[in-house]
Amino acid sequence: MSTTWTVRAITRAMLPLLLCLTLVEIGSGLVLGKFETTLLRYPSLLVLVPVTIGTAGNLGSILAARLSTAFHLGTLSFALDDDALVGNALATIALAASIFPLVGLGAWGLSALTGSTALSPWTVLTVSLVSGLSLAVLAVVVAVVATYAAYRFELDPDDVVIPVVTNTCDVLGVVVLYLSVLVFV
């Protein structure tokens, strides 16, 4: 891993990555634009969009930070039987299972306060839980793959992994939420 901390080295490592991630974010906006009429029809789903995306990105970022720390300590192996790797992945999914029901009920409750609940609380809860758990699994995969890629390309995972995970979770969040709405609404 390169330990050169110059503006030129950081720019050379990060600029191409950030340009690619910018293009990925455009995909998120395109999916969100296609999804706009449904969101406007069901305001509780509109409330779910930023919270779902943000929460999935936060869960992925926490995992990415933990993997990066383990990488720097030399305790991370990318084997499927690595207790730290599997434990952190399961903890991320367990956090998602505990927080996304609250997110769904909170979104429905906020919509109810404004008098615009077109969906039942169970529908919003289901959409939130299914999309949240799906996103947690995807965030785990993205965080592990990005950390491994940083290792293979001799990049500092502290610099690379969190931007990759958060931007990818933004796009996947919109797509997974859209698919969940198609299935459950």
Side-chain angles (χ1 to χ4, degrees):
M1 180 175 67
S2 174
T3 57
T4 307
W5 289 69
T6 64
V7 172
R8 171 176 247 151
I10 293 170
T11 303
R12 194 173 326 142
M14 293 301 297
L15 188 61
L17 177 67
L18 293 175
L19 289 173
C20 289
L21 292 174
T22 300
L23 295 174
V24 168
E25 285 290 335
I26 291 171
S28 175
L30 293 173
V31 172
L32 197 55
K34 181 176 171 114
F35 189 34
E36 183 180 12
T37 56
T38 304
L39 292 175
L40 293 174
R41 188 174 338 133
Y42 303 113
S44 52
L45 296 178
L46 186 61
V47 173
L48 275 181
V49 172
V51 180
T52 300
I53 292 169
T55 304
N58 290 340
L59 289 172
S61 295
I62 292 166
L63 176 62
R66 293 183 61 81
L67 293 178
S68 180
T69 299
F71 172 78
H72 285 299
L73 292 173
T75 60
L76 179 66
S77 72
F78 293 99
L80 293 176
D81 62 345
D82 182 5
D83 290 338
L85 181 65
V86 173
N88 283 313
L90 290 176
T92 300
I93 294 168
L95 280 169
S98 65
I99 197 70
F100 277 103
L102 298 173
V103 166
L105 292 176
W108 185 86
L110 287 174
S111 296
L113 284 175
T114 63
S116 55
T117 56
L119 296 172
S120 75
W122 301 112
T123 303
V124 178
L125 175 71
T126 302
V127 167
S128 177
L129 186 59
V130 168
S131 61
L133 286 174
S134 301
L135 280 170
V137 170
L138 292 171
V140 167
V141 171
V142 170
V144 170
V145 169
T147 304
Y148 183 74
Y151 160 72
R152 294 294 291 168
F153 291 114
E154 296 182 355
L155 298 169
D156 187 351
D158 287 331
D159 294 338
V160 175
V161 177
I162 289 178
V164 168
V165 170
T166 55
N167 282 285
T168 305
C169 283
D170 285 352
V171 175
L172 291 175
V174 172
V175 171
V176 168
L177 189 60
Y178 177 69
L179 294 174
S180 295
V181 168
L182 287 178
V183 171
F184 297 107
V185 176

